[in-house]
Amino acid sequence: MNRLSILLIALFPLVADAQDTTTVKEQQLQEVIVNANNAQRRIGSVQIGAEQLQLKELVAAPALFGEVDVMRSLQLLPGVKAESDGSSSFQVRGGTSAQNTILYDKAPVYNIGHLAGLFSTFNDNALATATLYKGLVPAQYGGASSAVFDLTSRAGRTDRWGGNVSIGLLSAKGSVEGPVVKDRLGLLFNVRRSYADLFLKLTDDYRDNSLYFYDTNLKLDYKVGERDRVFLSLFASHDKTALTDMVDMQWTNLAGSLSWLHQFRGQSTSQTTLFASSYDTDNGINILGMNIAYQGHIRHAGLRQDFRLVLGQHELNAGLQSMLTDVKSAEWTRMANHEKEQRKAWDNAAWLNWQYSPADRWTLSAGVRLTAFSALGGPYYYDVDEKGNITWLYKRTKNRPVKTHVTVEPRLSMVFQPTEQWSVKAGYSRTSQNIHALRSQSTTTPFDRYTISSNLVKPEVADQVSLGVFYMTPRQDYDFSLEGYYRRVNNVLDYRDGISFASAIEIERLVLAGEGRGYGAELCARKNTGRLTGWVGYTLSWSQTRIDGISQGQWYDANNDRRHDINIVAIYRLNDAWTLNATWVYNSGQAFTAPSAKYQIVDNYIYYYAERNGYRAPDYHRLDVSATWSKKSPSGRFTREWNFGIYNLYNRYNPYLIRFEDSQYGRGTRAKQYSLFGIVPSVSFNLKF
């Protein structure tokens, strides 16, 4: 078996079910460090659990295969966890990555990884600002039962033309920006492509396989007048991973938005946005007699209106959004049968958020969001019994509401700052989510299935309370934070015991609904000044699920439950040219399900699972180091930059996947650990002009 086959076994458990087992040792590079907002803002901001990232201050540390990656930078923050080794997806405070909303210029984006998560979908050259809401989510955001990550793309220069070119181990990227109309219309264009497929063509074993991605970003910024600006933002990405005659996987992300920003007198603004996005998957499997061609998609088109009104000490954020959603849970050809499940919905929301300082040293933020989600007729809806059998079919008029779910979502946050150095924050938020992801593992793959709230499936509704204490030294050299949280989620979906994503086309027959909870504490200490800067973050957390029909209806650990997470980040500016970086990451073992017994039927051995996620994988830890050299040309028009890095310096093979196999003649069962990456050096070159 070739090494590319082994990598796909680790990344996609569905494929692994039909293949033999061999230890996996592949390559990966280092993560990126983000310099967040300053200490004073962290102390005084009313939003508890918010991380506002200044992307222009990214430290030049090589990420995976030399790529600067904002998604992995999030994974170094307290309360945020990587899905797995090499993944760009993230989990927040006990939630899964599927319970996060990611907005790119107001358009929702899904499956944010290239090459099964090895690269982030987002090119750092295209980004301006990003804010992660992991505690209180302001009322202007919705659609997520865990966290919201709001990304804003960068506008091009309007004074002169410039750009950059970057070459890494497996990909290259370039950008150009400048004035289409001087001082009025600016353009920014980015493009990136991997070239691993070119290396595959040079080998006899891999020449017929495919492994590549590309993405591109375009933004136009037109200054209509002194108070009006119009933005056009476009984003597209595509991935293809294929093994000859075995697996062919393709997935595409498209997002676009057109915004008109108007500034009233003072600081009040209005922004009107038309947006659309599409996430499509097209996968084929032909292994050991299993032949499935599988497709799915999530598509949105909508209109959003935001108002920000500043009236003295009062700040109001109000708005409306109306969005059409189209979700194809699956369309496949299995043997000679063609099946499809596709549904549409009309999603409407209105919100009001008020921020005010009622007294000296106190700031209050209160808001409410009203969501009305209507599943639309056209396709069949049905009822099922307790075993998942269909008992009744419904056929409603096309585009007429079948079921409307109305959710009222209050939000509240406050900060008390007795001195400039101390603050205490508290918050409560209720959020809801109407697009549900179903997966057999803890990581995102193109084989995930999605469904919407319907006559059977209710919205996920999460309630979270947070409390934090913050302190900084008088000169802001150091700051410290301690936050605790408790999160409860209703209507969580999970697969029935013994069920996989391809067991039936009707997804509601495969799942059961229950509740989830997560709670924990996050501690962070930062050094902000001097040649040596960085932070230490520690998270203690629990994440559990309870569903009637699974684990005897008792609480069980979720498959993303990890008790301890430690991140240590150090940045040392040696001189004007050299910056040295080091990151050490530690995670305690993640929960997984192991067989408790097995029995034999004829010549086949069947595993019996007594409990869900009752076992723990080995602990995960690694050390990454890097050095960045940067120098400007005498004219100041060009900047050359070299990145040298070592991912996993002490070459630890961390657990990525644990599978079980029978010993010879089936007399015993053993667990086998799969690892993706050992020690990996990297080098990349970047030229800015």
Side-chain angles (χ1 to χ4, degrees):
M1 176 181 296
N2 61 44
R3 292 174 64 84
L4 187 56
S5 303
I6 297 170
L7 177 60
L8 285 180
I9 289 175
L11 294 176
F12 303 103
L14 176 67
V15 180
D17 288 341
Q19 297 295 307
D20 62 344
T21 54
T22 307
T23 300
V24 181
K25 297 181 180 180
E26 290 295 334
Q27 294 184 335
Q28 184 187 10
L29 296 184
Q30 186 176 348
E31 289 162 330
V32 163
I33 300 166
V34 165
N35 191 6
N37 46 320
N38 61 36
Q40 188 173 12
R41 183 164 187 169
R42 285 192 289 269
I43 299 296
S45 172
V46 70
Q47 303 287 2
I48 184 172
E51 298 282 354
Q52 185 172 353
L53 310 178
Q54 305 300 322
L55 301 184
K56 65 181 179 180
E57 297 177 0
L58 279 172
V59 176
L64 188 62
F65 299 116
E67 285 284 329
V68 174
D69 192 337
V70 63
M71 305 311 298
R72 285 193 183 82
S73 69
L74 292 180
Q75 300 167 6
L76 297 173
L77 299 174
V80 184
K81 305 177 181 182
E83 267 192 335
S84 62
D85 199 9
S87 173
S88 56
S89 295
F90 62 97
Q91 303 168 342
V92 178
R93 292 187 170 180
T96 69
S97 62
Q99 293 172 319
N100 300 330
T101 286
I102 299 175
L103 300 175
Y104 182 84
D105 286 338
K106 306 303 182 185
V109 181
Y110 298 86
N111 196 358
I112 55 172
H114 288 307
L115 300 182
L118 299 182
F119 290 78
S120 167
T121 296
F122 302 113
N123 187 334
D124 63 289
N125 290 333
L127 301 177
T129 62
T131 303
L132 173 69
Y133 297 98
K134 60 180 182 178
L136 171 83
V137 179
Q140 53 265 41
Y141 297 101
S145 60
S146 182
V148 174
F149 191 40
D150 187 18
L151 292 151
T152 302
S153 64
R154 186 167 64 88
R157 302 178 62 122
T158 58
D159 55 344
R160 67 173 181 85
W161 287 92
N164 70 71
V165 177
S166 180
I167 300 175
L169 287 178
L170 292 180
S171 69
K173 59 185 178 182
S175 69
V176 61
E177 61 179 308
V180 178
V181 178
K182 190 173 178 61
D183 298 327
R184 293 290 299 273
L185 177 60
L187 175 144
L188 175 67
F189 178 72
N190 294 275
V191 64
R192 176 174 57 162
R193 193 193 192 279
S194 67
Y195 36 76
D197 55 317
L198 302 181
F199 296 129
L200 296 179
K201 300 298 182 185
L202 302 178
T203 66
D204 294 332
D205 293 336
Y206 305 123
R207 66 172 63 252
D208 295 326
N209 298 318
S210 296
L211 188 67
Y212 73 88
F213 72 83
Y214 67 79
D215 56 53
T216 182
N217 307 79
L218 171 69
K219 187 161 189 178
L220 292 170
D221 174 11
Y222 181 52
K223 185 178 180 181
V224 180
E226 291 297 325
R227 298 183 180 275
D228 296 277
R229 297 176 71 176
V230 175
F231 303 92
L232 174 65
S233 174
L234 300 173
F235 163 70
S237 71
H238 179 75
D239 283 75
K240 183 177 176 64
T241 302
L243 294 177
T244 306
D245 299 326
M246 289 176 55
V247 178
D248 187 350
M249 298 175 293
Q250 301 182 65
W251 59 99
T252 301
N253 261 309
L254 300 172
S257 61
L258 177 64
S259 297
W260 168 38
L261 176 64
H262 175 75
Q263 183 172 357
F264 301 105
R265 295 188 182 276
Q267 298 179 327
S268 300
T269 61
S270 165
Q271 183 166 325
T272 307
T273 305
L274 284 168
F275 64 88
S277 67
S278 176
Y279 165 63
D280 291 78
T281 62
D282 188 355
N283 309 301
I285 306 171
N286 185 10
I287 300 174
L288 298 181
M290 181 174 60
N291 190 336
I292 301 177
Y294 162 70
Q295 296 177 328
H297 68 235
I298 306 174
R299 295 171 182 169
H300 299 289
L303 172 65
R304 177 184 176 110
Q305 176 63 55
D306 287 274
F307 293 101
R308 177 176 178 265
L309 305 177
V310 180
L311 306 171
Q313 293 184 323
H314 300 267
E315 179 180 328
L316 294 175
N317 283 276
L320 301 164
Q321 178 174 289
S322 185
M323 178 173 69
L324 292 174
T325 296
D326 179 353
V327 174
K328 183 193 289 184
S329 169
E331 181 177 6
W332 57 44
T333 301
R334 182 165 47 180
M335 302 305 178
N337 297 323
H338 180 268
E339 299 174 303
K340 181 175 77 169
E341 181 173 84
Q342 181 176 350
R343 291 176 177 172
K344 298 181 180 181
W346 187 22
D347 190 357
N348 294 283
W351 59 87
L352 175 65
N353 203 85
W354 169 58
Q355 183 171 318
Y356 174 59
S357 296
D360 189 27
R361 300 173 181 175
W362 287 87
T363 303
L364 175 70
S365 175
V368 63
R369 183 181 181 91
L370 179 66
T371 300
F373 185 90
S374 300
L376 300 179
Y380 280 105
Y381 292 81
Y382 41 85
D383 289 334
V384 299
D385 61 20
E386 60 182 11
K387 295 182 178 180
N389 299 313
I390 295 177
T391 60
W392 195 260
L393 287 174
Y394 300 90
K395 185 73 170 179
R396 294 290 187 261
T397 304
K398 185 177 181 180
N399 295 331
R400 295 293 298 272
V402 174
K403 175 71 174 180
T404 298
H405 300 277
V406 177
T407 310
V408 180
E409 306 172 24
R411 317 282 173 87
L412 178 66
S413 184
M414 55 77 64
V415 58
F416 172 60
Q417 192 171 359
T419 71
E420 291 186 356
Q421 297 172 240
W422 283 93
S423 69
V424 178
K425 301 182 185 182
Y428 163 77
S429 67
R430 168 171 287 182
T431 56
S432 68
Q433 180 170 335
N434 286 286
I435 295 181
H436 313 267
L438 281 302
R439 55 185 58 162
S440 301
Q441 63 290 323
S442 60
T443 57
T444 304
T445 77
F447 294 100
D448 294 342
R449 290 187 63 179
Y450 295 84
T451 190
I452 63 171
S453 299
S454 64
N455 62 311
L456 294 180
V457 177
K458 298 179 181 179
E460 284 188 16
V461 178
D463 292 280
Q464 182 177 170
V465 291
S466 305
L467 178 66
V469 180
F470 302 81
Y471 171 75
M472 67 178 179
T473 56
R475 299 180 61 182
Q476 302 185 32
D477 297 329
Y478 299 87
D479 70 274
F480 307 89
S481 63
L482 174 62
E483 292 186 51
Y485 67 91
Y486 182 86
R487 176 176 172 268
R488 191 73 174 248
V489 190
N490 290 319
N491 308 319
V492 174
L493 299 183
D494 204 348
Y495 279 114
R496 297 171 183 264
D497 285 334
I499 295 296
S500 69
F501 89 103
S503 297
I505 191 67
E506 300 90 0
I507 197 169
E508 289 156 313
R509 297 176 57 195
L510 311 181
V511 299
L512 293 171
E515 58 183 333
R517 65 185 180 190
Y519 50 95
E522 303 162 6
L523 175 66
C524 189
R526 302 176 187 259
K527 186 177 186 299
N528 304 310
T529 59
R531 287 192 174 186
L532 176 64
T533 58
W535 67 86
V536 177
Y538 169 69
T539 302
L540 173 67
S541 63
W542 288 261
S543 180
Q544 298 176 315
T545 305
R546 182 170 63 186
I547 298 176
D548 289 338
I550 299 177
S551 290
Q552 295 80 48
Q554 302 298 312
W555 285 102
Y556 61 90
D557 291 335
N559 58 14
N560 63 330
D561 180 76
R562 294 200 305 247
R563 196 69 63 241
H564 306 281
D565 285 77
I566 301 174
N567 297 308
I568 301 176
V569 177
I571 307 160
Y572 185 72
R573 301 188 184 278
L574 186 63
N575 51 43
D576 290 341
W578 284 97
T579 300
L580 309 179
N581 307 274
T583 301
W584 187 70
V585 177
Y586 171 85
N587 311 136
S588 57
Q590 188 159 307
F592 72 96
T593 302
S596 303
K598 68 178 179 181
Y599 54 91
Q600 185 176 3
I601 299 180
V602 191
D603 294 329
N604 296 318
Y605 289 92
I606 308 299
Y607 290 125
Y608 170 73
Y609 298 90
E611 59 180 331
R612 186 76 62 95
N613 299 328
Y615 296 83
R616 291 282 166 175
D619 293 348
Y620 176 105
H621 54 87
R622 73 171 196 275
L623 173 66
D624 306 333
V625 296
S626 68
T628 302
W629 177 86
S630 180
K631 189 174 182 179
K632 286 187 176 182
S633 65
S635 65
R637 289 296 303 272
F638 297 90
T639 300
R640 293 168 294 161
E641 185 176 278
W642 283 94
N643 275 314
F644 306 92
I646 301 177
Y647 175 89
N648 198 358
L649 181 64
Y650 49 80
N651 195 34
R652 174 177 170 83
Y653 284 97
N654 286 296
Y656 179 83
L657 178 69
I658 295 176
R659 290 178 45 78
F660 297 89
E661 60 181 30
D662 295 321
S663 60
Q664 189 175 14
Y665 308 116
R667 294 172 181 169
T669 302
R670 64 176 182 176
K672 177 166 285 190
Q673 173 182 307
Y674 293 81
S675 301
L676 287 182
F677 308 113
I679 183 172
V680 183
S682 68
V683 60
S684 61
F685 175 74
N686 188 34
L687 177 65
K688 301 177 183 178
F689 55 91

